[in-house]
Amino acid sequence: MAEREETETFQKWLDGLRSDQALARIVVHVERLVDAGHGDVKYLGDKLHELRIDHGPGYRVYFARVPGYLLLCGGTKRTQERDIRRARRLLKELQDGQ
C-alpha cells in the first residue's frame, strides 16, 4: 500500500460535501487508487493527475504522485478548469516549500 497525504484544501472539500453517498463513493475510489493503483485516472502533466468519479455531477479528485499519493483538492466536472488551476497552484506551493 502506498503512502497517502491530504492537503487541508482536500479535507475541507470532503468535509463540505452534502451527500453522504457521494462522500462514501469518493472515499472508496481514493482508497482503491491508493491501495491498488486502480481508477479512472487522467494524467494532466507536471506530476498532476485527475481521478474521475462517475457519480452525481462527475466528481474529480486532483492528486500528485510524489512518490506516494498527495491529494490536493477536489471538485466536479462543472468546476474542472478552476480546480485544475487550484491543484497546480497547490502542488507548486508545496514543491517550492520543500
Side-chain angles (χ1 to χ4, degrees):
M1 181 166 99
E3 289 196 28
R4 167 183 159 177
E5 290 184 58
E6 300 174 357
T7 64
E8 185 177 325
T9 303
F10 179 77
Q11 191 57 54
K12 284 182 181 179
W13 175 71
L14 276 184
D15 291 344
L17 291 173
R18 295 180 184 177
S19 167
D20 290 338
Q21 185 180 24
L23 175 61
R25 285 183 185 235
I26 292 166
V27 168
V28 165
H29 278 31
V30 167
E31 287 176 355
R32 190 176 302 143
L33 173 71
V34 173
D35 290 346
H38 296 294
D40 182 4
V41 174
K42 180 179 181 182
Y43 181 63
L44 302 175
D46 298 325
K47 298 183 184 177
L48 185 63
H49 302 263
E50 175 185 70
L51 173 63
R52 299 175 289 203
I53 301 164
D54 187 22
H55 176 75
Y59 292 101
R60 305 294 196 255
V61 173
Y62 299 95
F63 68 95
R65 298 283 316 263
V66 290
Y69 290 86
L70 174 59
L71 305 174
L72 297 162
C73 63
T76 64
K77 177 69 175 166
R78 185 178 57 81
T79 61
Q80 186 176 25
E81 289 182 30
R82 180 184 67 198
D83 298 329
I84 290 171
R85 285 192 303 271
R86 176 185 298 144
R88 288 190 193 285
R89 187 178 67 246
L90 286 167
L91 183 57
K92 183 171 178 2
E93 288 172 3
L94 290 168
Q95 288 174 334
D96 289 348
Q98 292 181 356

